Amino acid sequence: AVVSTQSTGTFNSKEVKSDLQRWDLAGRISLVTFAYNDFFKDYQAKDFTYDFFNDPTVQANLQVYSSNRQELVSWGNHEVKEVQAEIIPCNITSMDFFDKLTAPGLVRESGALYKCFDEDIDGFLVADELHRMLLTEESEHWEVYNEEERQELLFLLFKHLVLGGPVCQYDDKIDRYLEIAKGLYKELITVQKNSETKKIELISKVLKVSAWDGDICWFPGDEHHQTFCYLILNPVNRIVTVFSHDYGKGCW
């Protein structure tokens, strides 16, 4: 069953919509929430993903980006024949995770980004040290976050916002990137208090997925840095949110 085809509260705010327009993410991001019936175990990730994308209700309500129409359009009926599902860690409980960004030469205490000489990295025009740190191991700040930290959902959400779409207008300060990443993370992730330790724990399961219909990869659409599809499961209420974005190549 479809629970919601609306954007989260974060994405519905006028201020955030303006940010997404500036970063060329508006109209390319899709958020749809569905109910599911069975208990989920990590070893079932691929089977869950296969069954999910072949469900008629899912197919009727998911959207894909059309490069011809330059907008999200209904996916329609397809037989998904192959899927991949990678479990994404989701352990960060505090925005203190980003305090390390104020390393010398990366982000100033004021939130302003340190600039660098313009450089093309993987098709992105890079003009500040934050983008270099996100995109290339040649950055002197690459090791501010280790490989494990870079796989965390919160880091990935932040990275997707910073890198934006094909004609993204980058911000000179980090503030809005952090604020929207925080709001989105809080809305997508489910927490509960551990009855023994009394500590807040994240209980969501996050899958980074791909789904093919023959030779066509519908989700996420292509292999670009910024083309992605995540399934975010709330195991308590048994709902799953599809968070996807197409950088612009589209499927047709």
Side-chain angles (χ1 to χ4, degrees):
V2 183
V3 175
S4 171
T5 57
Q6 302 300 312
S7 295
T8 67
T10 295
F11 281 179
N12 279 333
S13 104
K14 288 184 179 180
E15 190 177 10
V16 172
K17 285 181 178 179
S18 175
D19 293 323
L20 297 181
Q21 290 280 359
R22 188 170 68 256
W23 302 334
D24 196 27
L25 292 171
R28 300 174 184 275
I29 283 180
S30 174
L31 282 146
V32 189
T33 300
F34 300 88
Y36 65 94
N37 297 320
D38 299 327
F39 287 106
F40 175 84
K41 301 294 183 183
D42 289 357
Y43 69 84
Q44 300 170 317
K46 190 170 182 178
D47 289 340
F48 180 93
T49 303
Y50 180 87
D51 292 342
F52 178 81
F53 281 113
N54 277 301
D55 184 278
T57 302
V58 170
Q59 293 190 359
N61 289 277
L62 283 183
Q63 294 181 308
V64 293
Y65 183 77
S66 167
S67 57
N68 290 342
R69 294 174 57 178
Q70 296 289 298
E71 63 181 356
L72 291 166
V73 298
S74 178
W75 184 28
N77 297 323
H78 298 275
E79 181 185 356
V80 171
K81 298 173 181 175
E82 178 63 30
V83 298
Q84 289 184 353
E86 173 191 357
I87 294 177
I88 297 297
C90 179
N91 303 305
I92 307 303
T93 58
S94 169
M95 291 298 286
D96 292 349
F97 176 72
F98 290 113
D99 287 353
K100 295 189 290 186
L101 289 174
T102 54
L106 185 56
V107 180
R108 301 179 189 276
E109 291 289 344
S110 65
L113 308 181
Y114 278 89
K115 299 298 181 180
C116 63
F117 290 113
D118 287 358
E119 179 182 4
D120 184 285
I121 302 176
D122 293 342
F124 293 93
L125 178 60
V126 172
D128 61 68
E129 294 293 347
L130 176 62
H131 282 79
R132 289 196 85 245
M133 184 274 288
L134 293 174
L135 287 168
T136 176
E137 293 184 30
E138 294 180 6
S139 166
E140 62 183 275
H141 305 291
W142 178 263
E143 294 183 356
V144 169
Y145 290 93
N146 60 37
E147 287 303 315
E148 195 173 284
E149 292 171 322
R150 285 173 177 268
Q151 292 302 312
E152 283 282 341
L153 179 65
L154 181 57
F155 186 93
L156 293 173
L157 293 178
F158 171 74
K159 179 180 178 179
H160 291 318
L161 292 172
V162 173
L163 296 183
V167 289
C168 175
Q169 302 173 51
Y170 299 144
D171 286 8
D172 293 325
K173 298 187 71 175
I174 200 171
D175 304 45
R176 292 301 295 160
Y177 297 130
L178 291 176
E179 288 169 18
I180 298 176
K182 177 182 179 180
L184 186 58
Y185 190 65
K186 287 180 68 176
E187 289 177 18
L188 291 175
I189 297 306
T190 306
V191 300
Q192 69 179 16
K193 183 179 287 188
N194 185 303
S195 58
E196 295 181 0
T197 66
K198 306 303 181 184
K199 292 182 178 180
I200 296 295
E201 295 180 342
L202 304 184
I203 59 171
S204 294
K205 298 292 184 180
V206 182
L207 307 178
K208 185 176 183 180
V209 300
S210 303
W212 285 270
D213 169 8
D215 294 331
I216 299 175
C217 183
W218 288 102
F219 293 91
D222 60 47
E223 296 182 356
H224 193 277
H225 279 288
Q226 283 294 87
T227 299
F228 57 81
C229 183
Y230 300 103
L231 303 185
I232 303 169
L233 288 76
N234 174 338
V236 175
N237 297 328
R238 295 192 199 178
I239 60 173
V240 53
T241 298
V242 185
F243 178 40
S244 60
H245 172 259
D246 194 305
Y247 186 74
K249 179 180 176 182
C251 297
W252 68 85

